[in-house]
Amino acid sequence: MEIKKLVFIRILIAVISLEIPLLFCNNTERGENKFIDSLISVMTLDEKIGQLVQIDYGTISHERAVELVREGKVGSLFNLGILDNCLKLQRTAVEESRLGIPLIIGQDVIHGFRTIFPIPLAESCAWDPKISERNARIAAIEASACGVHWTFAPMVDIARDARWGRIAEGSGEDPYLGSILASAKVRGFQSNNLSKNNTIVACPKHYVAYGAAEGGRDYNTVEISLITLHEIYLPPFLSAIREGALTIMSAFNEINGVPASANPYTLKSILRDNWKFDGFVVSDYNAVNELIAHGFAKNMKKAAMKAFLAGVDMEMMGYTYFNHMKELVEEGTIQEEQIDKSVRRILKVKYRLGLFNDPYYGNKEREQKEILKKEFVKQARQSARESIVLLKNEGVLPISDKDLPLAVIGPLADSKEDLLGSWSCYGRPEDVISILEALREKYSDRNILYHKGCEIIGGNKKGFQKAIKIAKKAKTILLVLGEASWMSGEAGSRAYIGLPGYQLELAKEIRRNTNKPIIAILVNGRPLAIKWLADNVDAIVESWQLGIQHGPTVVDILSGDYNPSGKLTVTFPQATGQEPIYYNHKNTGRPPVGERRRYVSWYVDLPYGVLYPFGYGLSYSKFDYHDLEIYPRSLSINDTLHIKFKITNKSNIAGKEITQLYIRDISASITRPVKELKRFKKIMISPKETVKIEFKLPIRECGFYNENLEYVIEPGLFKLWVGPNSAEGLEGEFIVK
Ligand code: NOJ
């Protein structure tokens, strides 16, 4: 029935526009253009504006949603909840609106739909594009089975400040790694044929520099140089677009005085003119309306005008386009042809999704069959294993039978919901296996003594005594500490990034009262300032928020069933006051090195340096780097540098190493970071095996943006390091002629 209506529309459009070939319109670009042009030619101004409007279904009644869709006043809805809603509203759009243009249905599918994977920050610690791609693919299969066409992901904001709660949603602080993982996720969501009904459109966000919010406070002002914008914040977006992402979300923040959702420089000059992006731009939630609060538009009408003219095609909520666009066109402030351009972009994405052929993604059968499949859960476990970062191990891990019984203490041990992390979509706590459950399963109930000790935040110290009592009875103590899931993600910024509530005191009390090995397991959505733990416990396992398989995965690592290999994609500070902190910082004129002394760039109340550097993570294997060779030593701009070295696994345990290549341009017309990641590789190395690694680095990739924002490579000396993290490794150098 509904397909018949689509056929009818095609015939109608074809006849009206005398374009009979349209009847046979296929997926060629010509067919696409003709179809869309013809469709636009029969649309009223109201219907066109409708395509530019996106509404959060959760904020209106179902009846109102039906009415708006039937009248062609909305082109996209999101947060529809269940499949049934998606099908019903799509049916209204296709069968009851005048032209039957299908809706594009959106959802925040950030780290899984129902099968919840590690939060993106954790996933990035696997340094494995295949994992990122696979997880996104599974998320797309599940989401599409439930009627979703479009995800507001990947979040590709570089984050250098751990106070910012949204650091959890991205791939950390490095633009090179961030770019590779951004593309991988786009590939996963969109796959190679968007018209298949198990693929969804990606939407890299939040364009741009949202992660540079002052003070790490969400939605806050951003003031950065254009060089930093180009060098640090833009690359992952470009990478996602080159990979074929067909939509992009404009951010909440302002950039140097101009809000990102009305910014002609970023939305037009960079996105359209330089990058040739031909998909559509959607604003973030209410971001156009918020131009008024920013002090950038004096009312909703001006806000609509400024955002639209700057390049926002579709407005997410905010209702400024809905209420004022017609007036703006009628009075001549905005030309109808400009509206047509945006409509064309939106229809193109709908067309590429195949919605004009089959507007119904998902059905009951697919929903039943394709959610939480065994192989998906298996992948959730595997990706979680690779995401865990072992931060410290004074010979106490892995645990063996002689280390039992275990005292399991801490407010995150028995939690399920917090293991899902923020943006857990349709994930359910009952799908999650907690750390406590998994420990009991592995070591049997009799070897597990448990007491919560205190709450995550708030509460009191009443549980301390009982926790100390079981700690005294056990041979090994596991402290499961960290953050609640609501403490990171959107609006989840923190002023202090230590352990919240009484948790640190609990840890101190346990240490003071026992002499047993203590292993801290962290559950959190950001780097934490955990200097005391680093100095006083015997091992630290950074497990982040790993999704439904969190518990068993932690046990895989603790027991040695799996050898940890994850490495940090964000720097861990010693104290909150060091934020923002990142490895690729500038040297300053007075770098703090050597013996502590005054008049260097330091804090009087803190030792020099970071707690754990970018790229850092331990393994149960021991890797040794040696035999670095670099050639040629002197190169021209068009040459490629070859870097060879060896890694030996000196241990008896097979393990994966994520080996990293960094460079530093020693002297340039714009000061350069002390290190920049240029390559990495993850390799499995057998016990006692020596592997040869080779990186090839075109000198073209060693440049930077100069004062005129031109990408240049300046001659001179470069240093280079290959190693296990950003602070260690073999050092070499080369010269660019
Ligand atoms: C606001 C968030 O900033 C954005 O990331 C999200 O996609 C939208 N809300 C829709 O939920």
Side-chain angles (χ1 to χ4, degrees), residues 47-67:
E47 283 164 338
K48 291 176 185 173
I49 294 169
Q51 290 301 309
L52 316 185
V53 173
Q54 185 188 48
I55 292 176
D56 176 354
Y57 174 80
T59 62
I60 53 175
S61 69
H62 182 75
E63 293 65 39
R64 178 73 179 139
V66 169
E67 193 181 297

PDB file of all heavy atoms in Angstrom, residues 47-67:
ATOM      1  N   GLU A  47       6.011  23.166   2.534  1.00  0.00           N
ATOM      2  CA  GLU A  47       6.563  21.795   2.524  1.00  0.00           C
ATOM      3  C   GLU A  47       8.086  21.825   2.512  1.00  0.00           C
ATOM      4  O   GLU A  47       8.739  20.985   3.138  1.00  0.00           O
ATOM      5  CB  GLU A  47       6.033  21.027   1.309  1.00  0.00           C
ATOM      6  CG  GLU A  47       4.599  20.554   1.510  1.00  0.00           C
ATOM      7  CD  GLU A  47       3.912  20.138   0.200  1.00  0.00           C
ATOM      8  OE1 GLU A  47       4.336  20.579  -0.884  1.00  0.00           O
ATOM      9  OE2 GLU A  47       2.918  19.395   0.284  1.00  0.00           O
ATOM     10  N   LYS A  48       8.632  22.787   1.811  1.00  0.00           N
ATOM     11  CA  LYS A  48      10.099  22.892   1.786  1.00  0.00           C
ATOM     12  C   LYS A  48      10.624  23.213   3.184  1.00  0.00           C
ATOM     13  O   LYS A  48      11.566  22.585   3.670  1.00  0.00           O
ATOM     14  CB  LYS A  48      10.538  23.991   0.807  1.00  0.00           C
ATOM     15  CG  LYS A  48      10.287  23.636  -0.648  1.00  0.00           C
ATOM     16  CD  LYS A  48      10.649  24.820  -1.529  1.00  0.00           C
ATOM     17  CE  LYS A  48      10.277  24.534  -2.979  1.00  0.00           C
ATOM     18  NZ  LYS A  48      10.461  25.717  -3.834  1.00  0.00           N
ATOM     19  N   ILE A  49       9.988  24.185   3.805  1.00  0.00           N
ATOM     20  CA  ILE A  49      10.454  24.565   5.155  1.00  0.00           C
ATOM     21  C   ILE A  49      10.295  23.378   6.110  1.00  0.00           C
ATOM     22  O   ILE A  49      11.152  23.127   6.959  1.00  0.00           O
ATOM     23  CB  ILE A  49       9.703  25.817   5.654  1.00  0.00           C
ATOM     24  CG1 ILE A  49      10.097  27.016   4.767  1.00  0.00           C
ATOM     25  CG2 ILE A  49      10.020  26.109   7.126  1.00  0.00           C
ATOM     26  CD1 ILE A  49       9.256  28.262   4.971  1.00  0.00           C
ATOM     27  N   GLY A  50       9.242  22.629   5.918  1.00  0.00           N
ATOM     28  CA  GLY A  50       9.031  21.426   6.740  1.00  0.00           C
ATOM     29  C   GLY A  50      10.242  20.501   6.725  1.00  0.00           C
ATOM     30  O   GLY A  50      10.633  19.928   7.741  1.00  0.00           O
ATOM     31  N   GLN A  51      10.865  20.381   5.551  1.00  0.00           N
ATOM     32  CA  GLN A  51      12.033  19.493   5.460  1.00  0.00           C
ATOM     33  C   GLN A  51      13.203  20.001   6.303  1.00  0.00           C
ATOM     34  O   GLN A  51      14.095  19.251   6.657  1.00  0.00           O
ATOM     35  CB  GLN A  51      12.491  19.350   4.001  1.00  0.00           C
ATOM     36  CG  GLN A  51      11.529  18.553   3.130  1.00  0.00           C
ATOM     37  CD  GLN A  51      11.314  17.144   3.650  1.00  0.00           C
ATOM     38  OE1 GLN A  51      12.261  16.413   3.920  1.00  0.00           O
ATOM     39  NE2 GLN A  51      10.047  16.764   3.818  1.00  0.00           N
ATOM     40  N   LEU A  52      13.182  21.272   6.625  1.00  0.00           N
ATOM     41  CA  LEU A  52      14.304  21.855   7.390  1.00  0.00           C
ATOM     42  C   LEU A  52      14.082  21.768   8.899  1.00  0.00           C
ATOM     43  O   LEU A  52      14.888  22.275   9.675  1.00  0.00           O
ATOM     44  CB  LEU A  52      14.507  23.334   7.015  1.00  0.00           C
ATOM     45  CG  LEU A  52      14.468  23.722   5.542  1.00  0.00           C
ATOM     46  CD1 LEU A  52      14.804  25.203   5.387  1.00  0.00           C
ATOM     47  CD2 LEU A  52      15.448  22.889   4.736  1.00  0.00           C
ATOM     48  N   VAL A  53      12.955  21.163   9.270  1.00  0.00           N
ATOM     49  CA  VAL A  53      12.591  21.156  10.691  1.00  0.00           C
ATOM     50  C   VAL A  53      12.751  19.757  11.272  1.00  0.00           C
ATOM     51  O   VAL A  53      12.270  18.776  10.711  1.00  0.00           O
ATOM     52  CB  VAL A  53      11.125  21.627  10.854  1.00  0.00           C
ATOM     53  CG1 VAL A  53      10.658  21.458  12.301  1.00  0.00           C
ATOM     54  CG2 VAL A  53      10.987  23.084  10.405  1.00  0.00           C
ATOM     55  N   GLN A  54      13.433  19.704  12.426  1.00  0.00           N
ATOM     56  CA  GLN A  54      13.573  18.426  13.128  1.00  0.00           C
ATOM     57  C   GLN A  54      13.051  18.578  14.550  1.00  0.00           C
ATOM     58  O   GLN A  54      13.391  19.543  15.246  1.00  0.00           O
ATOM     59  CB  GLN A  54      15.035  18.004  13.171  1.00  0.00           C
ATOM     60  CG  GLN A  54      15.197  16.629  13.789  1.00  0.00           C
ATOM     61  CD  GLN A  54      16.639  16.256  14.028  1.00  0.00           C
ATOM     62  OE1 GLN A  54      17.392  17.040  14.583  1.00  0.00           O
ATOM     63  NE2 GLN A  54      17.019  15.066  13.614  1.00  0.00           N
ATOM     64  N   ILE A  55      12.236  17.620  14.959  1.00  0.00           N
ATOM     65  CA  ILE A  55      11.617  17.733  16.285  1.00  0.00           C
ATOM     66  C   ILE A  55      11.904  16.494  17.129  1.00  0.00           C
ATOM     67  O   ILE A  55      11.921  15.363  16.632  1.00  0.00           O
ATOM     68  CB  ILE A  55      10.096  17.972  16.128  1.00  0.00           C
ATOM     69  CG1 ILE A  55       9.887  19.372  15.531  1.00  0.00           C
ATOM     70  CG2 ILE A  55       9.356  17.857  17.472  1.00  0.00           C
ATOM     71  CD1 ILE A  55       8.470  19.741  15.222  1.00  0.00           C
ATOM     72  N   ASP A  56      12.131  16.739  18.402  1.00  0.00           N
ATOM     73  CA  ASP A  56      12.317  15.670  19.388  1.00  0.00           C
ATOM     74  C   ASP A  56      10.928  15.134  19.744  1.00  0.00           C
ATOM     75  O   ASP A  56      10.134  15.822  20.382  1.00  0.00           O
ATOM     76  CB  ASP A  56      13.027  16.264  20.614  1.00  0.00           C
ATOM     77  CG  ASP A  56      13.199  15.260  21.750  1.00  0.00           C
ATOM     78  OD1 ASP A  56      12.670  14.133  21.653  1.00  0.00           O
ATOM     79  OD2 ASP A  56      13.867  15.624  22.740  1.00  0.00           O
ATOM     80  N   TYR A  57      10.687  13.910  19.328  1.00  0.00           N
ATOM     81  CA  TYR A  57       9.369  13.301  19.539  1.00  0.00           C
ATOM     82  C   TYR A  57       8.999  13.278  21.026  1.00  0.00           C
ATOM     83  O   TYR A  57       7.841  13.414  21.392  1.00  0.00           O
ATOM     84  CB  TYR A  57       9.397  11.881  18.963  1.00  0.00           C
ATOM     85  CG  TYR A  57       8.165  11.056  19.222  1.00  0.00           C
ATOM     86  CD1 TYR A  57       7.018  11.230  18.450  1.00  0.00           C
ATOM     87  CD2 TYR A  57       8.152  10.091  20.232  1.00  0.00           C
ATOM     88  CE1 TYR A  57       5.884  10.466  18.675  1.00  0.00           C
ATOM     89  CE2 TYR A  57       7.026   9.322  20.459  1.00  0.00           C
ATOM     90  CZ  TYR A  57       5.891   9.514  19.680  1.00  0.00           C
ATOM     91  OH  TYR A  57       4.774   8.760  19.916  1.00  0.00           O
ATOM     92  N   GLY A  58      10.028  13.150  21.847  1.00  0.00           N
ATOM     93  CA  GLY A  58       9.791  13.075  23.289  1.00  0.00           C
ATOM     94  C   GLY A  58       9.225  14.359  23.895  1.00  0.00           C
ATOM     95  O   GLY A  58       8.818  14.369  25.058  1.00  0.00           O
ATOM     96  N   THR A  59       9.211  15.428  23.123  1.00  0.00           N
ATOM     97  CA  THR A  59       8.768  16.708  23.698  1.00  0.00           C
ATOM     98  C   THR A  59       7.347  17.092  23.285  1.00  0.00           C
ATOM     99  O   THR A  59       6.843  18.128  23.703  1.00  0.00           O
ATOM    100  CB  THR A  59       9.707  17.861  23.262  1.00  0.00           C
ATOM    101  OG1 THR A  59       9.636  17.971  21.825  1.00  0.00           O
ATOM    102  CG2 THR A  59      11.137  17.610  23.689  1.00  0.00           C
ATOM    103  N   ILE A  60       6.731  16.283  22.420  1.00  0.00           N
ATOM    104  CA  ILE A  60       5.353  16.598  22.000  1.00  0.00           C
ATOM    105  C   ILE A  60       4.485  15.343  22.126  1.00  0.00           C
ATOM    106  O   ILE A  60       5.015  14.241  22.278  1.00  0.00           O
ATOM    107  CB  ILE A  60       5.300  17.113  20.522  1.00  0.00           C
ATOM    108  CG1 ILE A  60       6.017  16.129  19.582  1.00  0.00           C
ATOM    109  CG2 ILE A  60       5.890  18.504  20.397  1.00  0.00           C
ATOM    110  CD1 ILE A  60       5.898  16.503  18.112  1.00  0.00           C
ATOM    111  N   SER A  61       3.185  15.523  22.022  1.00  0.00           N
ATOM    112  CA  SER A  61       2.305  14.346  22.111  1.00  0.00           C
ATOM    113  C   SER A  61       2.359  13.587  20.790  1.00  0.00           C
ATOM    114  O   SER A  61       2.723  14.148  19.740  1.00  0.00           O
ATOM    115  CB  SER A  61       0.869  14.791  22.380  1.00  0.00           C
ATOM    116  OG  SER A  61       0.370  15.451  21.234  1.00  0.00           O
ATOM    117  N   HIS A  62       1.967  12.334  20.849  1.00  0.00           N
ATOM    118  CA  HIS A  62       1.963  11.530  19.623  1.00  0.00           C
ATOM    119  C   HIS A  62       1.023  12.159  18.588  1.00  0.00           C
ATOM    120  O   HIS A  62       1.351  12.240  17.407  1.00  0.00           O
ATOM    121  CB  HIS A  62       1.529  10.093  19.942  1.00  0.00           C
ATOM    122  CG  HIS A  62       1.556   9.201  18.741  1.00  0.00           C
ATOM    123  ND1 HIS A  62       2.725   8.716  18.204  1.00  0.00           N
ATOM    124  CD2 HIS A  62       0.549   8.753  17.947  1.00  0.00           C
ATOM    125  CE1 HIS A  62       2.445   7.985  17.129  1.00  0.00           C
ATOM    126  NE2 HIS A  62       1.126   7.987  16.947  1.00  0.00           N
ATOM    127  N   GLU A  63      -0.123  12.632  19.081  1.00  0.00           N
ATOM    128  CA  GLU A  63      -1.125  13.226  18.177  1.00  0.00           C
ATOM    129  C   GLU A  63      -0.547  14.447  17.453  1.00  0.00           C
ATOM    130  O   GLU A  63      -0.739  14.636  16.271  1.00  0.00           O
ATOM    131  CB  GLU A  63      -2.386  13.660  18.952  1.00  0.00           C
ATOM    132  CG  GLU A  63      -3.213  12.522  19.545  1.00  0.00           C
ATOM    133  CD  GLU A  63      -2.468  11.756  20.640  1.00  0.00           C
ATOM    134  OE1 GLU A  63      -1.750  12.388  21.445  1.00  0.00           O
ATOM    135  OE2 GLU A  63      -2.582  10.504  20.667  1.00  0.00           O
ATOM    136  N   ARG A  64       0.167  15.256  18.203  1.00  0.00           N
ATOM    137  CA  ARG A  64       0.769  16.458  17.608  1.00  0.00           C
ATOM    138  C   ARG A  64       1.817  16.059  16.565  1.00  0.00           C
ATOM    139  O   ARG A  64       1.913  16.663  15.492  1.00  0.00           O
ATOM    140  CB  ARG A  64       1.406  17.299  18.727  1.00  0.00           C
ATOM    141  CG  ARG A  64       2.120  18.546  18.258  1.00  0.00           C
ATOM    142  CD  ARG A  64       1.166  19.629  17.808  1.00  0.00           C
ATOM    143  NE  ARG A  64       1.883  20.830  17.395  1.00  0.00           N
ATOM    144  CZ  ARG A  64       1.565  21.557  16.348  1.00  0.00           C
ATOM    145  NH1 ARG A  64       0.513  21.248  15.613  1.00  0.00           N
ATOM    146  NH2 ARG A  64       2.261  22.639  16.049  1.00  0.00           N
ATOM    147  N   ALA A  65       2.580  15.020  16.899  1.00  0.00           N
ATOM    148  CA  ALA A  65       3.601  14.561  15.949  1.00  0.00           C
ATOM    149  C   ALA A  65       2.926  14.109  14.653  1.00  0.00           C
ATOM    150  O   ALA A  65       3.360  14.476  13.550  1.00  0.00           O
ATOM    151  CB  ALA A  65       4.414  13.426  16.565  1.00  0.00           C
ATOM    152  N   VAL A  66       1.851  13.339  14.792  1.00  0.00           N
ATOM    153  CA  VAL A  66       1.138  12.844  13.608  1.00  0.00           C
ATOM    154  C   VAL A  66       0.638  14.025  12.772  1.00  0.00           C
ATOM    155  O   VAL A  66       0.790  14.061  11.549  1.00  0.00           O
ATOM    156  CB  VAL A  66      -0.040  11.926  14.034  1.00  0.00           C
ATOM    157  CG1 VAL A  66      -0.958  11.608  12.847  1.00  0.00           C
ATOM    158  CG2 VAL A  66       0.503  10.635  14.657  1.00  0.00           C
ATOM    159  N   GLU A  67       0.070  14.990  13.468  1.00  0.00           N
ATOM    160  CA  GLU A  67      -0.480  16.170  12.783  1.00  0.00           C
ATOM    161  C   GLU A  67       0.618  16.906  11.981  1.00  0.00           C
ATOM    162  O   GLU A  67       0.433  17.227  10.806  1.00  0.00           O
ATOM    163  CB  GLU A  67      -1.040  17.070  13.875  1.00  0.00           C
ATOM    164  CG  GLU A  67      -1.925  18.196  13.447  1.00  0.00           C
ATOM    165  CD  GLU A  67      -2.343  18.955  14.724  1.00  0.00           C
ATOM    166  OE1 GLU A  67      -3.031  18.345  15.587  1.00  0.00           O
ATOM    167  OE2 GLU A  67      -1.946  20.124  14.868  1.00  0.00           O
TER     168      GLU A  67
END
